[in-house]
Amino acid sequence: MENKLFFGIIFLILVLPLVSADAIEPGYHGIRINNQITNINDFPNYVFVSYSTLGGMPRSIDIIGKDGKLKAYYKFDLVSVYAIPKSEFNESYINYLNSNVTANGDLFKIYFNSPQIKKVIANVVSYTTVSYIDPTTEISDSYTIDLNKILTKPTKEETNKNLIYVYILIPIIVLVIIIFIIIKRRK
Amino acid sequence: MNGFLYLIFGFLTTLITELIVYFMFIKGKKLNIFLYCLLINSFTWPLANLIYAYINLFLLIELGVFLIELILIKILFSVGWKKAILISLVANILTTTLSFII
């Protein structure tokens, strides 16, 4: 019985960590990053779209609303934002491209290589990992775009953080209680 | 799930897992076992996470947790060293494995 328990524990130590192929590093957790274009309404003659790819393959084109908020993407997606003149914008064509991303892979590339379409943001990050102890609960990145520039970093980053002191205070309180229990027992 | 809920989820997962192990190995009042388990984990879990945020040595920290918990198990449950080592070993192997999976 003891031998079985011993080999069982050794098996768990050796094999189970290998199972977590897509797992987050131990002690870390994922946080979504909210992305927003702050001055989208300064360009009434343009439609803004976010274009996501995964491993070089197109995933989707999403129209950005008047609030300038980008949708939340999968953590490994590579996302860029493009400005399309309203005169060139054709929503039904975008829907057609999105309808079969695998077959329309080349059409996506041709579409975004058009000289009328301007890339305004590259490498939008939608996801990051932070340590469990990291008090960050939310990250909001905002972009102030310029049609003649490609932003690669947010113009402003805001983080909401929880208080860290609980991680120190709780163990101290618990230690006091444990010492109290030990002293009480000895009396 | 936001960061705070992750913390609660992480702590409760550890607590419940270790509580199951304690119930398996220790006989006595269930409420006492639960309270001592809560005390032990409320001491080691925040400290382990705090240290891990600054020192990225996961297994070393887990080893430290194992040692501290076996001492606390020995003292609080008044069990022998061998039993304390076994309980702490099984509990921490399970929680470490879960931290890789979840």
Side-chain angles (χ1 to χ4, degrees):
Chain A
M1 179 64 190
E2 279 183 3
N3 279 346
K4 280 183 183 174
L5 185 67
F6 175 76
F7 284 114
I9 289 167
I10 296 298
F11 176 80
L12 283 174
I13 293 170
L14 294 177
V15 175
L16 279 180
L18 302 175
V19 178
S20 55
D22 191 32
I24 295 167
E25 193 176 353
Y28 283 74
H29 68 88
I31 284 187
R32 287 266 170 219
I33 300 173
N34 305 315
N35 289 291
Q36 187 172 22
I37 299 168
T38 52
N39 61 338
I40 198 164
N41 294 316
D42 292 351
F43 308 96
N45 297 323
Y46 286 85
V47 174
F48 291 85
V49 296
S50 52
Y51 172 47
S52 61
T53 58
L54 181 65
M57 297 300 292
R59 292 256 292 165
S60 68
I61 302 173
D62 300 287
I63 299 164
I64 301 168
K66 284 184 178 176
D67 59 4
K69 289 181 180 172
L70 274 70
K71 74 172 225 186
Y73 286 94
Y74 176 58
K75 58 183 171 183
F76 296 126
D77 276 356
L78 189 64
V79 181
S80 299
V81 174
Y82 291 84
I84 305 169
K86 275 192 175 164
S87 54
E88 301 290 325
F89 182 70
N90 183 348
E91 191 169 351
S92 52
Y93 185 65
I94 299 248
N95 291 336
Y96 165 72
L97 290 176
N98 281 336
S99 65
N100 193 344
V101 289
T102 314
N104 294 334
D106 289 337
L107 294 177
F108 275 89
K109 286 172 192 164
I110 293 165
Y111 185 70
F112 284 109
N113 280 332
S114 161
Q116 283 86 18
I117 296 176
K118 295 175 181 178
K119 193 186 225 182
V120 288
I121 309 173
N123 305 327
V124 177
V125 181
S126 300
Y127 179 91
T128 187
T129 56
V130 294
S131 163
Y132 274 124
I133 191 67
D134 190 316
T136 303
T137 55
E138 194 179 51
I139 298 173
S140 299
D141 285 350
S142 53
Y143 294 85
T144 305
I145 53 169
D146 179 337
L147 293 181
N148 299 313
K149 275 185 193 171
I150 300 173
L151 295 175
T152 53
K153 284 180 183 174
T155 319
K156 193 177 167 190
E157 185 174 286
E158 286 178 14
T159 55
N160 287 339
K161 289 179 183 285
N162 271 340
L163 296 171
I164 200 167
Y165 65 86
V166 286
Y167 283 88
I168 299 161
L169 197 64
I170 289 172
I172 291 170
I173 293 168
V174 169
L175 189 62
V176 170
I177 295 169
I178 291 170
I179 291 168
F180 177 75
I181 290 169
I182 294 166
I183 292 169
K184 205 180 168 190
R185 275 186 189 170
R186 286 189 176 174
K187 276 184 180 175
Chain B
M1 204 188 288
N2 67 29
F4 182 71
L5 285 177
Y6 262 104
L7 291 175
I8 298 292
F9 176 71
F11 178 73
L12 286 180
T13 307
T14 307
L15 181 71
I16 291 165
T17 308
E18 296 211 356
L19 191 60
I20 291 166
V21 175
Y22 289 12
F23 281 148
M24 281 168 60
F25 287 98
I26 300 165
K27 285 175 184 170
K29 283 184 183 175
K30 296 264 189 273
L31 182 63
N32 280 354
I33 296 172
F34 169 74
L35 288 174
Y36 290 157
C37 182
L38 183 65
L39 281 177
I40 291 168
N41 280 285
S42 301
F43 182 69
T44 56
W45 192 86
L47 283 180
N49 280 279
L50 184 66
I51 295 165
Y52 189 72
Y54 297 100
I55 307 164
N56 200 352
L57 295 168
F58 182 66
L59 289 177
L60 192 68
I61 293 165
E62 281 300 323
L63 181 68
V65 170
F66 160 71
L67 292 172
I68 292 169
E69 288 196 358
L70 85 86
I71 292 166
L72 292 176
I73 289 165
K74 161 101 179 79
I75 294 168
L76 292 173
F77 293 107
S78 303
V79 294
W81 282 110
K82 271 188 179 176
K83 196 165 185 179
I85 290 169
L86 182 66
I87 295 167
S88 185
L89 186 69
V90 174
N92 283 291
I93 283 171
L94 283 175
T95 50
T96 304
T97 305
L98 276 175
S99 75
F100 277 100
I101 296 168
I102 295 172

